[in-house]
Amino acid sequence: ERPQLQGLSGLSISMHRYDALKDALAGAGVSQESAELHGGLCASLCVGGLPAADAWSQAWLSEGLESGSAREIVQELERDSWQSMSGGEFALELVLPDDASELPERVAALASWCHGFVSGLGVAGLTLTDQSHTARNELEEIIGDFGEISRASNDVEDVVEGGFQLAAIVEFVRAGVQIVFETLSDQRDARITGRLH
């Protein structure tokens, strides 16, 4: 069920990594947005685990990421995100600006995160044909919702005027990611063990 876009609430999740990742990427000459990067990594983890996430970062980021603090931060982020999702305790933290940031920046970052996730699913080679009808419909609905959220930054003023309940949307996204992760478990295991190409 979609969260209600009423009221205005701050994010309750710790997002300390956003600025550190942003600075590291900039220092490495990488133009990728921090939130979009994390969304893509999480999508890759859903589809193919750590090998897919590493391949995604290699393919989409500049060679500047191969050395220095940026690469270390990304690798740590991959591992931590994998552990958070595979633990099954709804522990994933989205890499987004903190509560002190202006609302338009936070909305835009969440939109970028969702864009990265949807793009990452495609890059990682998501296939829905081997899913049950119910699972396929659920995945398609989540992907569609994330696509809508990814366009939110185009109407930041309308979003702000409408009282965008950002914390509720972030929780909605976190829940959606966990559903995708768990639904794709068989496909992911097959990819990791090399039985699916």
Side-chain angles (χ1 to χ4, degrees), residues 44-52 82 184-197:
S44 299
L45 289 169
C46 286
V47 176
L50 285 168
W82 169 256
L184 296 179
S185 60
D186 290 342
Q187 183 180 127
R188 180 174 58 253
D189 290 345
R191 287 180 182 274
I192 293 173
T193 57
R195 290 181 281 113
L196 182 62
H197 301 284

Side-chain angles (χ1 to χ4, degrees), residues 36-49 52-53 56 60 85 113-128 131 136 138-147 176-184 187-188 191:
E36 183 178 3
L37 166 64
H38 190 228
L41 288 178
C42 288
S44 299
L45 289 169
C46 286
V47 176
W56 187 90
W60 281 77
M85 289 190 286
W113 199 100
C114 290
H115 179 267
F117 188 85
V118 173
S119 298
L121 291 176
V123 172
L126 173 66
T127 56
L128 299 178
Q131 299 292 329
R136 186 166 57 249
E138 187 170 37
L139 289 170
E140 288 175 347
E141 182 175 352
I142 291 171
I143 293 169
D145 287 340
F146 281 24
V177 172
Q178 194 66 38
I179 292 170
V180 172
F181 184 83
E182 293 172 2
T183 302
L184 296 179
Q187 183 180 127
R188 180 174 58 253
R191 287 180 182 274

Side-chain angles (χ1 to χ4, degrees), residues 91-122:
L92 177 68
E93 295 182 0
L94 309 188
V95 175
L96 297 170
D98 63 24
D99 295 358
S101 302
E102 294 293 330
L103 182 61
E105 179 186 357
R106 293 159 63 197
V107 171
L110 180 58
S112 292
W113 199 100
C114 290
H115 179 267
F117 188 85
V118 173
S119 298
L121 291 176

Side-chain angles (χ1 to χ4, degrees), residues 116-172:
F117 188 85
V118 173
S119 298
L121 291 176
V123 172
L126 173 66
T127 56
L128 299 178
T129 54
D130 57 347
Q131 299 292 329
S132 69
H133 178 73
T134 300
R136 186 166 57 249
N137 285 345
E138 187 170 37
L139 289 170
E140 288 175 347
E141 182 175 352
I142 291 171
I143 293 169
D145 287 340
F146 281 24
E148 287 187 22
I149 295 170
S150 75
R151 294 185 287 274
S153 60
N154 295 331
D155 302 301
V156 170
E157 291 184 4
D158 291 340
V159 167
V160 173
E161 290 173 4
F164 192 84
Q165 196 173 32
L166 192 55
I169 303 298
V170 171
E171 292 303 304
F172 175 79

